[in-house]
Amino acid sequence: MSGANAGRGGRNLTTGVMMFGVLLASYAMNAMDRQVFPLILPEVRKEYGFDLAAGGLLSTIFTLGMAVAGIPTGWLLARFTRRFVVSLGIFIFSVGTSITVIAHGFADMLFYRAATGIGEAMQITALIAIASNYFTSYRSSAVGALSFTYGIGAIVGPLLAGYLLTNYQTWRAPMVGYGLLGGVAIIAIYTFVRPWFSELISDTATEADKNVSGTLFNRNVFVLIVLAILWGLTLQSYFGLYPTYLRESLKFTPGDAATLMSCFGIGGLTSIGGGWLGDRFSAKALLSVAFFIASIIGYLLFHAITGFVALAAAQIVWGAVGGGTLFVNVATYFTKAVQLPLAGRAAGLFVTAFYGAGAVSGYILGLLASNLGWQTAAEIQIVGLPLFSALICFLFDSSTMSAPLGAASPGRAPVARPVTMSH
């Protein structure tokens, strides 16, 4: 990856990549935090007497917090340092996770779960802005690295949560433990991540970006908003209720269900490769194919296979397509549909659209499953929406997006400039 010409003194690419690694580790903790609640949901439902639809809402309501915070985070990024916004986000979602254990009922638990999403929105929006501005020519690959570390967290998170749940015999143990990890992440960020890296702003000046829109709202951004909404309805409902489907419909043990969910994270480890594809192919070509494949895999997860090994294999492919390719590139194409100074605000739009839809996705799938059965519900939400998304991809205007690598002759390198803000 080529940075945005940050080479003065110790400000070289190697140092920048190392600091990016610290931020990536903090995002892995985010993934661990997010994965824990769906796994312990059966215990929570049993203790509080929540029905399936209510449980699905609790599992995915954090996405409402993310939706609410996405666009305001773009405002924060214009006034505070990205490092501060990342750290504040980690603090909020870690506290929200920890205090969930003292909830008295559905209403306050719903509030705590939604609050975690506010913090997560702040973290991921700032991280996308940092990655897009430092790794200007390889934005998809850099965001793919974020998804890669999310995959690491998605592998470790359910396994560690399952261990804590089994050994402490209470669903509160993993919630408190993961909340405390946030403090470790904040200390690491302020110790190792320097402002010259996190606050860099790249002025778009490459040949590949010469026709990119200078306005935030344009045709490609509107297409991406629709795709983000549809994929949010699909992927977040899977995260929120598939563990319940495994345990209550297919009768897997908590340990086996946790292992199967971890397989999604294994597939997500391909996200750097998925980002590489995004840097080299147009949004129309890549996303249409990926959404079609996702529709097929979604069908298999709920219909054709029930054995542990086959489900594990399908989960890995689902993670590669859904997390490693679609999530990475839908997010990154937002920053490729606008000029780089608008990358933070564009990332905020993605977060609001994707997670706003995800906020009600678990409730919708739970309601459909309760009334129509798991298979029919999956045909509507997990299979049908990606298939429709594949068709929408043909509305992209490739001539006004950042061109894939090799599609345009090299122009002047991006000009990097630091920005000074409070905190």
Side-chain angles (χ1 to χ4, degrees):
M1 295 181 183
S2 63
N5 297 335
R8 286 198 305 272
R11 305 181 182 187
N12 53 41
L13 179 61
T14 301
T15 306
V17 170
M18 291 176 64
M19 286 186 280
F20 191 47
V22 175
L23 296 173
L24 293 176
S26 76
Y27 193 54
M29 293 182 185
N30 177 318
M32 294 170 64
D33 184 283
R34 188 189 299 175
Q35 293 290 320
V36 63
F37 191 81
L39 183 65
I40 54 90
L41 181 58
E43 282 73 22
V44 173
R45 288 181 58 207
K46 181 178 180 180
E47 178 174 332
Y48 288 88
F50 301 145
D51 61 21
L52 183 60
L57 183 60
L58 285 169
S59 287
T60 59
I61 193 59
F62 76 91
T63 59
L64 178 61
M66 297 192 75
V68 169
I71 293 176
T73 298
W75 179 87
L76 287 174
L77 288 171
R79 289 158 179 80
F80 299 95
T81 65
R82 297 173 189 147
R83 184 177 66 169
F84 172 75
V85 175
V86 167
S87 301
L88 180 61
I90 294 172
F91 175 78
I92 291 173
F93 78 65
S94 296
V95 170
T97 296
S98 297
I99 64 175
T100 299
V101 303
I102 64 173
H104 295 289
F106 181 79
D108 58 338
M109 185 176 290
L110 194 70
F111 175 79
Y112 301 145
R113 294 297 300 155
T116 65
I118 294 175
E120 292 186 37
M122 296 170 69
Q123 183 191 25
I124 190 173
T125 301
L127 289 178
I128 291 174
I130 292 171
S132 297
N133 277 276
Y134 192 81
F135 303 107
T136 53
S137 296
Y138 296 87
R139 278 166 270 177
S140 289
S141 298
V143 175
L146 287 172
S147 189
F148 175 86
T149 53
Y150 180 91
I152 296 292
I155 294 170
V156 175
L159 296 177
L160 180 57
Y163 172 82
L164 293 172
L165 182 62
T166 300
N167 284 271
Y168 287 91
Q169 295 297 306
T170 173
W171 61 269
R172 290 174 171 83
M175 298 291 283
V176 173
Y178 284 4
L180 293 175
L181 282 176
V184 176
I186 293 172
I187 293 171
I189 288 171
Y190 269 90
T191 301
F192 298 109
V193 178
R194 302 270 65 86
W196 66 258
F197 169 77
S198 61
E199 312 316 316
L200 194 69
I201 293 179
S202 296
D203 295 320
T204 304
T206 62
E207 183 72 15
D209 290 317
K210 67 179 182 179
N211 293 322
V212 174
S213 174
T215 60
L216 182 62
F217 294 102
N218 56 70
R219 172 177 170 174
N220 290 322
V221 167
F222 283 122
V223 172
L224 285 164
I225 288 173
V226 174
L227 293 177
I229 290 171
L230 293 176
W231 190 231
L233 287 170
T234 303
L235 191 60
Q236 294 303 324
S237 65
Y238 156 82
F239 282 135
L241 281 181
Y242 198 69
T244 300
Y245 170 72
L246 291 173
R247 292 186 60 181
E248 297 187 358
S249 182
L250 299 186
K251 307 303 180 183
F252 283 105
T253 65
D256 285 344
T259 301
L260 286 171
M261 293 305 295
S262 293
C263 289
F264 180 94
I266 295 175
L269 297 180
T270 64
S271 58
I272 296 178
W276 180 88
L277 292 173
D279 286 326
R280 284 156 179 79
F281 294 95
S282 70
K284 182 185 298 186
L286 179 63
L287 295 183
S288 60
V289 173
F291 275 120
F292 180 72
I293 296 174
S295 180
I296 295 174
I297 300 302
Y299 180 86
L300 295 176
L301 287 174
F302 284 90
H303 289 76
I305 50 180
T306 56
F308 181 88
V309 174
L311 278 174
Q315 291 273 62
I316 292 172
V317 177
W318 178 245
V321 176
T325 301
L326 284 172
F327 178 83
V328 168
N329 287 296
V330 170
T332 311
Y333 283 131
F334 269 85
T335 72
K336 294 183 177 184
V338 298
Q339 294 181 3
L340 272 172
L342 295 172
R345 295 175 64 188
L349 284 177
F350 162 73
V351 170
T352 292
F354 179 80
Y355 292 104
V360 296
S361 63
Y363 180 80
I364 293 172
L365 183 61
L367 196 62
L368 289 172
S370 296
N371 289 280
L372 303 175
W374 282 106
Q375 281 67 40
T376 302
E379 289 172 2
I380 296 171
Q381 193 161 341
I382 308 296
V383 180
L385 295 185
L387 193 59
F388 183 52
S389 298
L391 299 176
I392 292 176
C393 291
F394 290 95
L395 296 176
F396 276 115
D397 181 3
S398 299
S399 66
T400 58
M401 290 190 74
S402 180
L405 288 176
S409 59
R412 183 166 61 86
V415 177
R417 57 184 173 90
V419 60
T420 302
M421 292 177 281
S422 59
H423 293 277

